[in-house]
Amino acid sequence: PAVEGFEAAIARAAAVRVDKPFVKRKLTRFNAAFDAVADAALRERLDDVAGRATRDFAAGRYEAANRALNQGFALLNKDRGSR
């Protein structure tokens, strides 16, 4: 049962299209989370990620923008876990 659930999750993830609308929604969520960060050091690291994501998005490199956003969300989650 656990293996079947894992395989189903992998299949759903593979079906997600990383296109402009997908990354735009994710960028909007990231920006909202970024705006809520008060820690200056974390904001600096997130600002770098946001810049890369924005440049990649503007250039039509949606997979790269998505990877940058994933890194940003990982930083945010790590910060939440350390509190």
Side-chain angles (χ1 to χ4, degrees), residues 6-76:
F6 178 73
E7 289 172 350
I10 295 295
R12 283 191 305 274
V16 172
R17 288 187 51 194
V18 178
D19 56 6
K20 184 177 183 176
F22 176 85
V23 176
K24 187 174 183 178
R25 287 189 306 271
K26 193 168 189 175
L27 187 57
T28 299
R29 287 193 314 274
F30 177 80
N31 285 336
F34 176 90
D35 289 344
V37 172
D39 180 84
L42 179 58
R43 285 184 69 85
E44 186 174 327
R45 292 167 57 199
L46 291 171
D47 193 45
D48 177 57
V49 169
R52 283 187 288 128
T54 301
R55 284 189 300 277
D56 286 333
F57 181 81
R61 296 186 299 263
Y62 304 122
E63 292 279 347
N66 187 54
R67 283 192 299 275
L69 290 170
N70 287 343
Q71 292 172 343
F73 279 116
L75 288 170
L76 287 165

